[in-house]
Amino acid sequence: MSYLKVIHCTLCLKHGYVGVYSKPVLFKITHLARISTAQNWRSKVPLKTQTTATVKNKVTQDTRVWKETPSYDRKSNTGQYCLMLSKSRLTSLVVLTSMAGYALAPAPFQLTTFAFCAVGTGLVSAAANSINQYHEVPFDAQMSRTKNRVLVKGLLEPVHAIGFAALTSSVGLGVLYFGVNPLTAALGAGNLILYTSVYTPMKRMSILNTWLGSVVGAIPPLMGWAGCTGGLDAGALVLGALLYSWQFPHFNALSWNLRPDYSRAGYRMMAVTNPALCRRVALRHTGIITATCLVSPYIGVTNTWFALESLPLNIYFMYLAWQFYQKSDSASSRKLFRFSLVHLPALMLLMLVNKKYWSSSDTQEQTDTKIQDVGILDKRITVLPRGPVVVAQGNDKQC
């Protein structure tokens, strides 16, 4: 109480309230005194020092319009940035289709050539994606899906993207040329030029970029087929046709929900310029995929079981495309896009399981067997001469 009286007398003398006793004032003074006394007892530090420390620890809010760009350690994150430049998910899909083309080809399987084909295809795809990002930096910055890419955020400089593309393209094409064959390297080089120099600028010029991009997606399985057999035949064209048609429901469904971004960046996509055509083309090519799978046994790529086993998969794919065509909303497009990611690996797996010829010797043996059967039939057939048949009769000397 002596401490409270001292504080009370001090305040009264300061404000001129000598001898005045006020309960509200005294209650406030008592409450403040209890708080300050309790803090003083706990900390055992003078009251003046505590007040100074509280002021010093006060955090000021940053109200600046701009802020410093954080620095990133490029040396420790080089591998991660290279994967982002190469679009690792897209490159993995390209390599998968190339491996499927190699495995489905009717030729002996060689592990070394198979590995060289996969590595070379992946490096060339990484180079193409790096150059694509180099050209589209100002447009990627306007899209929510691409605004976090390494060049847009400044994690890497444009010179790094060009250097990475030059290194991966030269090594990849060299691996394909010397480790596989010249035809596979030529297909890889042509696809690199087509993707970076024709498809990329056409995205802002015409909706034909989607058809051209489908050609780009259909070449990797041809590279795998050529890497295994050394050439291209009807079976390779069937596989390329499947990959070509698969691009349309896959990409059209993806671009449907990205129309605001594509429109903002100035890309000429079917989903933006002609939404009705976008839905029709997606539905049409699911039907082409179904027809191609039914025809593949007659061309000699797969057996008859593949046509039957792939039919439910393709019918459901067509059903989702029909739903997208009818409803044309984000839910139906999202279902179609997600199923397309399952449809392609499942279709490739069914083709591999139901492969008709596992090597070129199988086809040669069947051809030789047919020739031998025809020869045996020729030997068994006797051709009768034309004209009357003369029967020789012997002389009867007894008559």
Side-chain angles (χ1 to χ4, degrees):
M1 289 299 296
S2 60
Y3 183 69
L4 295 177
K5 289 181 179 180
V6 170
I7 294 177
H8 176 60
C9 295
T10 304
L11 291 175
C12 291
L13 291 174
K14 182 177 180 180
H15 296 282
Y17 298 106
V18 180
V20 179
Y21 181 83
S22 176
K23 290 185 178 181
V25 175
L26 182 60
F27 176 77
K28 292 181 181 180
I29 294 173
T30 307
H31 183 65
L32 292 175
R34 287 177 181 176
I35 295 176
S36 60
T37 306
Q39 292 179 351
N40 190 21
W41 286 344
R42 291 173 185 175
S43 60
K44 298 182 180 180
V45 179
L47 184 61
K48 184 177 181 181
T49 308
Q50 292 183 12
T51 307
T52 307
T54 304
V55 174
K56 288 183 179 179
N57 293 333
K58 187 177 180 180
V59 179
T60 58
Q61 186 178 2
D62 190 1
T63 58
R64 294 177 299 171
V65 178
W66 64 273
K67 295 181 181 180
E68 296 87 349
T69 303
S71 60
Y72 299 93
D73 189 2
R74 290 174 180 169
K75 292 183 179 180
S76 60
N77 296 316
T78 302
Q80 180 183 358
Y81 295 161
C82 289
L83 289 176
M84 295 173 69
L85 270 180
S86 62
K87 298 180 184 178
S88 57
R89 293 182 180 178
L90 179 59
T91 298
S92 299
L93 183 62
V94 171
V95 173
L96 178 64
T97 57
S98 176
M99 294 166 62
Y102 190 101
L104 289 169
F109 184 87
Q110 296 180 358
L111 182 59
T112 304
T113 309
F114 175 76
F116 282 150
C117 185
V119 171
T121 304
L123 290 174
V124 173
S125 176
N129 291 324
S130 179
I131 297 175
N132 174 264
Q133 292 186 59
Y134 168 78
H135 286 299
E136 295 184 343
V137 170
F139 315 117
D140 287 343
Q142 304 177 51
M143 299 175 62
S144 301
R145 186 173 65 95
T146 57
K147 65 181 181 180
N148 291 323
R149 288 179 175 175
V150 286
L151 295 180
V152 177
K153 295 180 67 176
L155 303 178
L156 292 177
E157 299 294 333
V159 66
H160 297 142
I162 295 300
F164 176 76
L167 178 62
T168 52
S169 61
S170 58
V171 174
L173 293 176
V175 169
L176 292 176
Y177 185 85
F178 296 104
V180 187
N181 55 52
L183 177 59
T184 307
L187 289 173
N191 208 23
L192 176 64
I193 296 173
L194 190 64
Y195 184 75
T196 57
S197 301
V198 183
Y199 167 72
T200 298
M202 189 177 287
K203 289 168 65 176
R204 298 178 55 80
M205 297 169 57
S206 172
I207 62 172
L208 295 178
N209 68 83
T210 306
W211 280 266
L212 188 61
S214 298
V215 175
V216 173
I219 290 179
L222 302 183
M223 294 172 61
W225 191 286
C228 185
T229 63
L232 298 175
D233 52 16
L237 297 181
V238 169
L239 190 59
L242 286 176
L243 266 296
Y244 175 81
S245 295
W246 178 84
Q247 305 285 331
F248 289 96
H250 170 74
F251 181 75
N252 287 10
L254 172 65
S255 62
W256 189 262
N257 292 327
L258 300 176
R259 287 178 295 173
D261 283 350
Y262 283 129
S263 178
R264 190 182 308 113
Y267 287 123
R268 306 284 295 178
M269 300 298 175
M270 277 189 289
V272 177
T273 60
N274 196 338
L277 179 64
C278 176
R279 302 192 304 271
R280 288 199 306 269
V281 169
L283 178 61
R284 183 185 308 154
H285 280 274
T286 55
I288 294 175
I289 291 173
T290 305
T292 306
C293 292
L294 294 175
V295 171
S296 62
Y298 300 96
I299 300 178
V301 181
T302 61
N303 54 30
T304 310
W305 286 106
F306 170 74
L308 298 176
E309 292 172 0
S310 63
L311 193 58
L313 192 70
N314 293 328
I315 289 177
Y316 186 67
F317 201 25
M318 292 178 62
Y319 169 76
L320 292 179
W322 174 255
Q323 292 290 321
F324 173 58
Y325 175 76
Q326 290 290 328
K327 297 180 179 179
S328 63
D329 56 359
S330 59
S332 59
S333 63
R334 193 176 294 111
K335 289 181 181 179
L336 180 61
F337 170 72
R338 290 175 179 174
F339 185 75
S340 67
L341 299 177
V342 179
H343 177 268
L344 182 61
L347 200 64
M348 295 294 103
L349 182 61
L350 288 176
M351 292 187 73
L352 182 61
V353 171
N354 297 282
K355 181 179 176 181
K356 191 169 187 178
Y357 302 119
W358 288 93
S359 65
S360 58
S361 60
D362 296 340
T363 58
Q364 187 65 31
E365 288 177 0
Q366 289 196 2
T367 305
D368 295 341
T369 304
K370 291 180 181 179
I371 293 174
Q372 290 176 4
D373 294 340
V374 172
I376 293 172
L377 290 175
D378 289 341
K379 290 180 181 179
R380 292 179 179 177
I381 296 174
T382 56
V383 180
L384 296 176
R386 296 181 180 179
V389 179
V390 178
V391 180
Q393 298 179 354
N395 294 330
D396 191 355
K397 294 181 180 182
Q398 295 180 355
C399 293

